[in-house]
């Protein structure tokens, strides 16, 4: 114990002497501690206690009720879920019916939730609504009045701060419905702590109703006594779901929880992934901080040699270096915990309002988690100092005292172990990918990364042999990198690991995005739009007529970047048929071209799946679309806006429409220049048509053409008026296709939506925006993290090389080397570390990602229906960042290094 205390005193003194190196190590350890402390404190603040949850769900009431079913209900005691055996209630329960089912002395008030359309600051939008009398004491805790007063009449509302921003209204202002037929005065700002979204609060009986509104009803129950679990189960028998304050505060034993709601509460997969990711983070910190400890051990070689010469054992030397890890790990833990908790407290309002959208329960720090994080930080410091400690303990005392350096060679057993681990990791990754088990995949990646780390030292020695053909500065840099492998190899491994992880995840994410994009079926050329009229919006009146499309086209041209607005129509039943009766046409695939194996006919055996994948008739388009216009009836001048076809293809498609035919996207539908259309008329057909009865469906053959450029019609076919007439059906106007010169902005869409509603509430616009690609910053974050790690590792290794090479630089100065040699040498040393680590990391990342994608593709190769494979897409943006970082590291090292060569004078004796 005494030797440890002495080692800690020496480590504290060394930390004060080498402030720059100490600050670097402390920062490396403190950064992840800061992030973990922030996450732990934030999690604890937003993890509601039972009493806090009760206040959020039921205010000051004893319970909250839902009575939406006629049969018995089984529920979780905490209200996390329920199941019913009966049908939904035919109508909402009245207050009298609810009170009749409750004990005498009960009081209830209604609470409703829904959404409705309002006039917003930029047009028309959907906003959440609540029906609640905020003046009632039972709502305390459920709703908080921030400013003004609660609504007291049906013409008054209170709004949340986000709703005020969206609606462009404040206290005293007026908000309106889309038709401007109703208006409400804003009397106050209100907040619901469990939901900070846009909300408009009405009195319960004043909630707006209409086609674009929805609501659900519950009740706050002021009971004469606490509502027990037995009472909850009794009310469940009548179809009520009950959220009880007493049950939340005093939950029943687990044995009384219904089996369907029992769970361990432990997500094994999430814990496994979290543990593996934490292991990767610790490994990265160890690899980064290890060279810094090696710098300290190298600078103290003489001191450690003197201790050994005066009787110090290798254990004493190890403890001195390990004590550095304890001291700096403790400092990093303390700094990270303090800053992390402070940031969590300061950022709480921003997190509440912009990320979580609910208020935290209070200011809390999660002491148990912080203690574990602190222990992890100190352990990480010890691990980072472990290799330098054993290296220092094995050092040659005479060489340390005389300033000579021993020969460093990579031991073959480490190389063999590294290769074995890399091969094992690749095999485990491949196996996990075939089973689509992310935990196994991550385990394989970690094993492979450890194997590459163990191989790095041998790779450094191998590459150092190239120095013979290089100029002076790069040759010395390669030699020093090989000689100081205790510091250079971990730094190169850290860069390699960070870059490999960034590239591998980037390739997989890019492949998933490209596969998703390839599976998307666009309904229109990108940026084009359709304005449609929704028949039946006002009921099934057979005389309903669409609005004049002239003003609609003018509005579109004034609002959108519209180059042309062409009318289109839709198939309709003969004149006089109500709007809710459906009639339509659908192209029929010839029987001889149909796939014999259909996923609609039941399970397909493995042998038939293999046959189906090899049958050209079974090649079906795979994908999805968020847009579609159905079977459009159009004139030839609408084809360009609908399909984007060009040249002779557009001319031939236009000729087919002009001849009374149809335009399709699947050439298999066309036989001898014609297509067969199935006629469906709901007045005479019941809609239940099986494959055996399909031949009984009436058909008509019309001229057809399959487009080969642009987009195939998403609805299957574009029909002409002649085709509708040949089938004995009518057509009616449905809207306009807008060919735009660019993608309309969100503000333009909102303005057009509001303008269309003013013309006719049954008009709406749809814009083709392509596949939904979230602006996920993950690739850039990974690339930036890899770049920072590369810069840090290069700086650490360059600093170590500069410290160890001081005598060499003095020798160069003595033999007449120019002052610029030192700068070029520092630049070369940084380039070797950053460049070698980046090259190895890119190669490893591409190899791992290719193996994972290949395994996924092989696993799905035999599935039916056919699934498109994952393409190996290269994330060029993140690769560009990774590739530029070594150049930045070299330039930084060259600019920050003093060019004056040191002159070391011999001390007088």
């Amino acid at each position: 114990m005494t030797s440890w205390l002495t080692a800690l005193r020496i480590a504290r003194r060394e930390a004060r002497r080498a402030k720059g190196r100490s600050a670097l190590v402390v920062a490396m350890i403190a950064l992840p501690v800061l992030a973990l402390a922030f996450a732990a404190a934030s999690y604890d603040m937003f993890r509601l206690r039972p009493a806090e949850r009760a206040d959020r769900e039921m205010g000051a009431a004893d319970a909250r009720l839902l009575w939406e079913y006629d049969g018995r209900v089984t529920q979780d005691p905490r209200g996390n879920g329920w199941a019913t055996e009966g049908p939904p209630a035919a109508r909402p329960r009245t207050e009298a019916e609810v009170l009749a089912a409750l004990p005498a002395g009960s009081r209830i008030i209604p609470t409703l939730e829904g959404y409705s359309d309002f006039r917003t600051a930029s047009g028309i939008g959907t906003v959440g609504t609540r029906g609640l009398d905020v003046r009632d004491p039972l709502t305390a805790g459920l709703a908080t009045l921030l400013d003004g007063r609660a609504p007291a009449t049906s013409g008054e509302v209170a709004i949340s701060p986000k709703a005020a921003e969206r609606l462009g209204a404040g206290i005293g202002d007026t908000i309106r419905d889309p038709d401007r037929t109703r208006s409400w005065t804003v009397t106050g700002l209100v907040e619901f702590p469990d939901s900070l979204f846009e909300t408009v609060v009405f009195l319960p009986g004043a909630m707006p109703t209409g086609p674009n509104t929805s609501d659900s009803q519950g009740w706050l129950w002021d009971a004469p006594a606490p509502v027990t679990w037995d009472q909850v189960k009794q009310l469940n028998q009548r179809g009520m779901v009950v959220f009880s304050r007493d049950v939340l505060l005093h939950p029943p034993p687990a044995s009384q929880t219904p089996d369907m709601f029992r769970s361990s509460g432990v997500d094994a997969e999430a814990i496994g992934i979290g543990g593996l990711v934490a292991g990767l983070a610790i490994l990265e910190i160890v690899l980064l901080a290890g060279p810094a400890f090696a710098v300290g051990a190298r600078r103290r070689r003489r001191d450690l040699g003197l201790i050994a010469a005066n009787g110090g054992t290798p254990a004493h030397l190890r403890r001195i270096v390990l004590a550095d890890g304890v001291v700096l790990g403790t400092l990093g833990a303390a700094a990270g915990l303090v800053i992390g908790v402070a940031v969590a407290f300061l950022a709480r309002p921003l997190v509440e309002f912009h990320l979580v959208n609910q208020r935290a329960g209070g200011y809390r720090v999660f002491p148990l988690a912080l203690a574990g994080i602190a222990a992890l930080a100190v352990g990480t410091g010890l691990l980072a100092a472990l290799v330098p400690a054993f290296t220092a303990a094995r050092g040659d005392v005479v060489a340390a005292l005389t300033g000579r350096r021993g020969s460093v060679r990579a031991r073959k057993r480490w190389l063999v172990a590294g290769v074995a681990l890399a091969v094992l990791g690749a095999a485990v990754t491949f196996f996990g990918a075939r089973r689509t088990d992310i935990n196994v995949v991550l385990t394989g990646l970690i094993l492979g990364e450890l194997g590459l780390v163990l191989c790095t030292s041998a790779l450094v020695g191998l590459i150092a042999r190239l120095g013979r053909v290089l100029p002076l500065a790069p040759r010395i840099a390669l030699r020093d990198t090989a000689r100081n492998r205790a510091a250079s190899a971990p730094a190169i491994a850290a860069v390699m690991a960070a870059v490999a992880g960034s590239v591998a995840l980037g390739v997989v994410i890019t492949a998933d995005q490209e596969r998703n994009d390839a599976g998307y079926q666009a309904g229109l050329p990108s940026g084009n739009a359709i304005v449609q009229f929704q028949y039946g919006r006002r009921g099934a009146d057979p005389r309903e007529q669409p609005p004049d499309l002239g003003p609609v086209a003018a509005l579109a041209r004034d609002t959108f970047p519209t180059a042309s607005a062409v009318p289109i129509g839709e198939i309709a039943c003969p004149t006089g048929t109500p709007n809710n009766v459906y009639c339509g046409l659908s192209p029929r695939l010839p029987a001889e071209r149909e796939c014999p194996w259909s996923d609609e006919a039941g399970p397909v055996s493995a042998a038939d799946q293999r046959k189906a994948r090899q049958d050209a008739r079974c090649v079906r388009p795979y994908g999805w679309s968020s847009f579609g216009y159905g079977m459009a009836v159009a004139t030839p001048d609408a084809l360009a806006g609908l399909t984007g076809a060009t040249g002779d293809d557009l001319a031939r498609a236009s000729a087919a429409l002009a001849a009374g035919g149809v335009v399709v996207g699947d050439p298999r539908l066309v036989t001898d220049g014609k297509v067969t259309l199935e006629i469906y008329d709901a007045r005479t057909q019941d809609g239940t048509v099986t494959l055996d009865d399909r031949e009984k469906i009436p058909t008509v053959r019309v001229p057809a053409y399959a487009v080969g450029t642009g987009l195939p019609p998403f609805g299957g076919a574009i029909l002409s008026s002649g085709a509708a007439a040949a089938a004995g059906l009518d057509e009616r106007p449905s809207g306009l296709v807008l060919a735009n010169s660019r993608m309309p902005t969100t503000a333009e869409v909102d303005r057009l939506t509001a303008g269309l509603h003013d013309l006719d509430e049954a008009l709406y616009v749809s814009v083709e925006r392509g596949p939904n690609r979230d602006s996920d910053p993950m690739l850039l974050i990974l690339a930036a993290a890899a770049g920072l790690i590369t810069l840090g590792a290069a700086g650490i290794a360059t600093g170590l090389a500069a410290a160890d090479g001081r005598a060499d630089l003095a020798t160069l100065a003595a033999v007449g080397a120019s002052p610029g040699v030192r700068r070029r040498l520092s630049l070369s040393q940084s380039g070797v570390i950053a460049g070698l680590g980046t090259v190895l990391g890119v190669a490893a990342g591409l190899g791992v990602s290719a193996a994972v994608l290949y395994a996924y593709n092989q696993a799905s190769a035999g599935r039916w229906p056919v699934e498109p494979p994952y393409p190996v897409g290269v994330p060029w943006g993140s690769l560009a960042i990774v590739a530029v970082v070594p150049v930045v590291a070299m330039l930084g090292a060259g600019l920050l290094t003093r060019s004056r060569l040191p002159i070391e004078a011999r001390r007088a004796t």
Side-chain angles (χ1 to χ4, degrees), residues 264-279 438-439 442-443 446:
S264 61
V266 177
D267 189 340
E269 181 175 356
I271 291 176
I273 294 174
L276 292 172
V277 172
I438 188 63
N439 277 323
L442 283 175
T443 302
I446 292 176

Side-chain angles (χ1 to χ4, degrees), residues 413-506:
R413 64 170 178 262
W414 292 116
L415 177 61
V416 173
V419 172
L421 271 179
V423 172
L424 177 62
V428 172
T429 300
F430 186 83
F431 176 73
R434 287 190 65 88
R435 296 184 57 187
T436 62
D437 190 327
I438 188 63
N439 277 323
V440 177
V441 170
L442 283 175
T443 302
L445 292 178
I446 292 176
L447 291 176
E449 188 170 303
L450 287 174
L452 292 175
V453 168
L454 295 178
C455 294
T456 303
S457 182
L459 289 173
V460 170
L462 181 64
I463 295 174
R465 298 180 182 179
L466 300 176
R468 301 169 184 173
V469 298
L470 296 177
L472 176 64
R475 184 165 68 247
I476 296 176
L478 278 175
R479 184 201 65 180
D480 286 348
T481 300
R483 189 167 57 181
N484 301 324
R485 297 182 199 179
S488 61
I492 294 173
V495 175
M496 177 189 65
V499 172
S502 172
V503 170
L505 288 176

